[in-house]
Structures are given as structure tokens and as C-alpha cells.
Amino acid sequence: MSPSSAPSRAAAQLLVGRVMHERLRPVAHRFTYPVFSVCVDIDRLPEAVHHSGGWFGLQRWRPLSLSLHDHGARDGGPLGPWIRGHLRSAGLPADGTVLLQTFPRVFGLGFKPVSFWYCHDRDGLLRAVYAEVNNTFGEHHGYLLAAADGGAIGSGTPLACRKRFHVSPFCAVTGTYRFTVRVRPGFRGMAVDHDDEAGPLLRTAVGGREQPCTAGAIVRTLVHWPLQGLSIISRI
């Protein structure tokens, strides 16, 4: 099976891994820190909640939760029709599984610098990625990405777009983003590089090992990182 396909899987996966951020100039600076995220099938959210034993919630307070007001149209409506409308408008397949990789709210709190929507066709091939970016001013923007040849996206397929949204006071809204999907058995992640007119400026990556989002997995993760949302904001 292609590494870009969406095999039979749990409705929600917990990803435990790291974030890497490297600034190349004017002064080189690199750091990594541990994080966890969730990767959910947006059409199976009730199933994901059910299998968490009350530790994962949708539109309600739980130790880990997702709010539909944090994603898509941000009106509390279902996510499937929203993202598939974007795919159809762009002439991309909209008939397969869509997985959303995002930082959940932890005890009701959290910040999501970027979330990734992995959009597959009916054959299970990854055909588009929607990168949903937030900044600390409460603004958000999305980049819909597809392979240059219009075909399937594999692990390592380059995806590029112009930067059009203000994220950091240290980087102007100029240049190009390069996204690279990193998927292998048991692991999911994304690398994002920012180039400006002078060349490579920033390198970032986020990913983690996948495991079903069960009560036991959530408890073990929260014991190690109970304040992840505040940690992300402090580092930004």
C-alpha cells in the first residue's frame, strides 16, 4: 500500500512526538520540544469520542477536546461539507477520507499554530493537504496544497505556495512555503520550510508516533504534558 493512502484505522489517533524550529539568519537558532497532537477522521468524530472512555470530547469540556469553532468555517458546523466544498471548488477529489491533525484543547485551553487536513480520494490516495494557520492575534488563514502534477501525494512529495499571512513579527509576509508530508507506518508528520528572496529562512517540523486515542493513552500523555497549550503559547 502506498504511504500516502489512508488504511483502515482508529477514528482518532494520538500522536506523541516533537516540534523542531530552526531559524537560519540573521542569527542561527534551533530548538526542539516535545508535543502531542491528535489525528481524527472528521466523519467519525462521535466514534472517536465514544472510544476515549470520556477523556476526549467534541464541543464540550473534557481533558482533551476539539471544538468545531476552532476549525473550518468556525461556526460550529460539521467539518466535512466545509472542506469538501473547498476541494470541489479547486477541482480536487472530494470523495474520500479526510484526516485532521491538530493540537487539541487540554483541559479546555490551547492554541493551534497550524493544523493539517489530509484529504484522500475514494481509492485512499492522498490528493490534497489543507494547512490551517493561526496567529496570536486571533487571525487565521488556510493554504490548499496539491501536487504539481495533480496526482497523488506521497511521503516526500514537495508542496509549495506563496506566504500570504502574518505569523511572526520577525518574518515579513513574503516568500514561499515548502511543505513535505512525512508518513510511514506508525508515524505522521509535516515539514514546513520558509524561503524569502534571500533563500532559506526557517525550517520547522512537527510529527509523532501514532497510537489509538484511548483513555489509557490520553492519561499517560497528560501525566507528562498537562499544560501543553500554555507551553506552545509561551514558546511562540
Side-chain angles (χ1 to χ4, degrees), residues 87-129:
L87 294 170
R88 284 190 291 268
S89 295
L92 294 166
D95 52 1
T97 299
V98 177
L99 305 176
L100 171 61
Q101 177 186 337
T102 188
F103 295 113
R105 294 190 180 206
V106 180
F107 300 113
L109 302 174
F111 176 67
K112 305 168 187 285
V114 61
S115 302
F116 300 105
W117 306 56
Y118 299 91
C119 306
H120 302 81
D121 62 20
R122 68 172 64 189
D123 296 320
L125 296 175
L126 182 61
R127 299 296 299 277
V129 174

Side-chain angles (χ1 to χ4, degrees), residues 1-234:
M1 179 176 290
S2 165
S4 62
S5 62
S8 177
R9 53 186 286 128
Q13 298 276 350
L14 193 63
L15 276 60
V16 179
R18 305 185 71 81
V19 162
M20 184 281 293
H21 182 102
E22 182 179 17
R23 186 178 182 90
L24 303 176
R25 50 185 166 81
V27 177
H29 178 62
R30 186 179 189 274
F31 61 86
T32 64
Y33 57 92
V35 294
F36 66 89
S37 58
V38 294
C39 187
V40 299
D41 184 329
I42 64 171
D43 298 314
R44 299 167 61 196
L45 287 172
E47 181 183 342
V49 171
H50 174 74
H51 286 292
S52 74
W55 287 81
F56 178 72
L58 177 67
Q59 299 293 83
R60 63 182 62 187
W61 189 95
R62 287 291 186 273
L64 294 190
S65 63
L66 288 184
S67 171
L68 300 180
H69 292 87
D70 292 339
H71 300 284
R74 300 176 187 245
D75 59 1
L79 301 179
W82 181 85
I83 187 63
R84 291 187 173 100
H86 277 270
L87 294 170
R88 284 190 291 268
S89 295
L92 294 166
D95 52 1
T97 299
V98 177
L99 305 176
L100 171 61
Q101 177 186 337
T102 188
F103 295 113
R105 294 190 180 206
V106 180
F107 300 113
L109 302 174
F111 176 67
K112 305 168 187 285
V114 61
S115 302
F116 300 105
W117 306 56
Y118 299 91
C119 306
H120 302 81
D121 62 20
R122 68 172 64 189
D123 296 320
L125 296 175
L126 182 61
R127 299 296 299 277
V129 174
Y130 184 80
E132 188 176 41
V133 184
N134 299 288
N135 64 23
T136 55
F137 303 104
E139 302 166 327
H140 56 90
H141 183 75
Y143 299 96
L144 183 59
L145 309 162
D149 62 2
I153 299 169
S155 186
T157 299
L159 307 169
C161 64
R162 297 291 297 175
K163 180 179 180 180
R164 302 190 182 279
F165 178 64
H166 175 73
V167 177
S168 167
F170 303 105
C171 298
V173 184
T174 184
T176 302
Y177 283 131
R178 292 180 287 115
F179 296 80
T180 308
V181 177
R182 302 296 188 194
V183 179
R184 58 181 183 268
F187 178 90
R188 178 176 296 272
M190 182 74 74
V192 185
D193 299 329
H194 177 206
D195 302 340
D196 64 10
E197 290 76 4
L201 177 62
L202 292 173
R203 294 173 180 162
T204 60
V206 60
R209 302 182 311 276
E210 294 185 311
Q211 55 186 300
C213 191
T214 61
I218 293 172
V219 171
R220 289 191 296 271
T221 301
L222 288 176
V223 166
H224 287 91
W225 299 289
L227 300 175
Q228 172 168 277
L230 296 178
S231 174
I232 292 173
I233 292 174
S234 68

